């Protein structure tokens, strides 16, 4: 996809102010100049380490899911295991660690599914998606004080229905699953 | 998917502090109690109106895309038209308005593709996905002072390749497209 001569140019950053650091995200205000109009505008950027999530499938074709209360939606959500890439860690290590810490599942065959920008408008970081097939329960989950997570197995064949029904609804979960499954709802059966 | 007796409970919000409002997102710090451990923890929530994005397809099977500089990634990104649902607006109106304002494309047949939680961990809101088929160029884009956008048509058949190549990489774009297309890369051709 070639860039046209009219393709938008990068904006110039005029200044940058960090707000108080939080455990996972550091808000920063950037003053940016719009090259089209010359206007200077303040925009929020959230600094964050990269993230990982894992499509982990058992030998019995179950997807390993986690259920936890989420502070944004204020609801208990069904998702796939995910977390933050620690400093000095590579993202495969992070994916394997998060799967094991959150669920107790491990081993299997691992392959990369590519990466997503969680939200280019205000997040700097990348979410790396991993596929782990043939995983099995090898230990106990070990949750930190910021977590309260239940493990739940979902038949892989049920996943498209859970997506169209809005149960699996986290955009990063869907981005990972779309690399493994066709998420479109099955067509209606023909009338008899 | 029934909830198990061990399913995580909602956390209690102990207090809430709003930071300065920004154009699109209002950061808020919630002090939350973990029902599993009793620990109180500060967590960032971003208050935001709902969002919309549009899978708009021309009669010639081209996907209507937009290319713009994004403040989070600091890069010019290829995405589908998207924006914020204004107060008093329904999300179909917002989707039609954003498509027209950003690209000049309009009309066609509109159908809902469901909704996504952009990030349940720290975003309260929902992104509504819409499909518009048979759209055509009916006017000029009208950009506001915070925008600098170029329109680009992409053959629908090229989309899975652009996803696996990391060109289309915004998680909310992928969540919308996965409801219309099988995004998995085509299998390798068999050796001759």
């Amino acid at each position: 996809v070639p860039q046209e001569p009219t393709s938008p140019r990068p904006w110039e950053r005029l200044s940058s102010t960090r707000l108080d650091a939080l455990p996972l995200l550091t808000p920063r205000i950037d003053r940016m100049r719009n090259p089209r109009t010359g206007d200077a505008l303040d925009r929020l950027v959230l600094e964050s380490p990269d993230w990982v999530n894992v499509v982990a499938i058992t030998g019995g074709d179950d997807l390993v899911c986690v259920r936890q209360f989420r502070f944004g939606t204020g609801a208990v959500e069904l998702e796939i295991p995910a977390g933050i890439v620690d400093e000095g860690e590579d993202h495969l290590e992070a994916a394997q660690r998060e799967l094991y810490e959150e669920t107790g599942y491990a081993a299997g065959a691992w392959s990369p599914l590519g990466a997503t920008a969680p939200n280019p408008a205000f997040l700097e970081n990348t979410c790396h998606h991993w596929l782990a097939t043939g995983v099995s329960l090898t230990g106990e989950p070990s949750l930190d004080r910021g977590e309260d997570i239940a493990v739940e197995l979902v038949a892989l064949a049920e996943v498209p229905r859970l997506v169209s029904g809005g149960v699996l609804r986290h955009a990063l979960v869907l981005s990972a699953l779309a690399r493994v499954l066709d998420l479109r709802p099955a067509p209606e059966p023909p009338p008899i």
Side-chain angles (χ1 to χ4, degrees), chain A residues 55-91:
Chain A
V55 178
I57 301 172
T58 67
D61 277 344
D62 282 327
L63 179 69
V64 180
C65 290
V66 290
R67 193 183 279 280
Q68 65 188 307
F69 180 76
R70 288 302 209 167
F71 308 109
T73 53
V76 174
E77 301 278 353
L78 189 69
E79 300 175 359
I80 62 175
I84 292 173
V85 180
D86 287 340
E87 205 171 323
E89 194 177 38
D90 72 37
H91 56 81

Side-chain angles (χ1 to χ4, degrees), chain A residues 9 53 65 68 86 110-111 113 178 181 187:
Chain A
R9 283 163 289 161
N53 65 9
C65 290
Q68 65 188 307
D86 287 340
W110 290 72
S111 51
L113 292 172
L181 297 167

Side-chain angles (χ1 to χ4, degrees), chain A residues 66-147:
Chain A
V66 290
R67 193 183 279 280
Q68 65 188 307
F69 180 76
R70 288 302 209 167
F71 308 109
T73 53
V76 174
E77 301 278 353
L78 189 69
E79 300 175 359
I80 62 175
I84 292 173
V85 180
D86 287 340
E87 205 171 323
E89 194 177 38
D90 72 37
H91 56 81
L92 170 58
E93 288 174 319
Q96 293 177 328
R97 177 181 53 73
E98 289 289 352
L99 175 65
Y100 186 71
E101 286 177 2
E102 292 190 351
T103 71
Y105 280 79
W110 290 72
S111 51
L113 292 172
T116 300
N119 196 316
F122 60 88
L123 289 166
E124 292 185 321
N125 67 341
T126 293
C127 181
H128 300 275
H129 304 313
W130 281 90
L131 173 65
T133 54
V135 298
S136 54
L137 192 61
T138 63
E140 286 290 313
S142 57
L143 303 179
D144 70 31
R145 59 194 287 270
E147 292 177 319

Side-chain angles (χ1 to χ4, degrees), chain A residues 12-17 29-33 39-43:
Chain A
E12 173 193 2
R13 180 159 64 187
L14 304 173
S15 66
S16 197
T17 307
I29 309 292
D30 285 348
R31 190 159 184 80
M32 305 293 295
R33 187 182 307 285
D39 284 316
L41 302 158
D42 285 339
R43 287 292 180 265

Side-chain angles (χ1 to χ4, degrees), chain A residues 25-28 43-48 51 118-125:
Chain A
L25 296 163
T26 304
R28 188 183 79 212
R43 287 292 180 265
L44 175 66
V45 174
L46 299 179
E47 301 178 354
S48 172
W51 299 332
N119 196 316
F122 60 88
L123 289 166
E124 292 185 321
N125 67 341

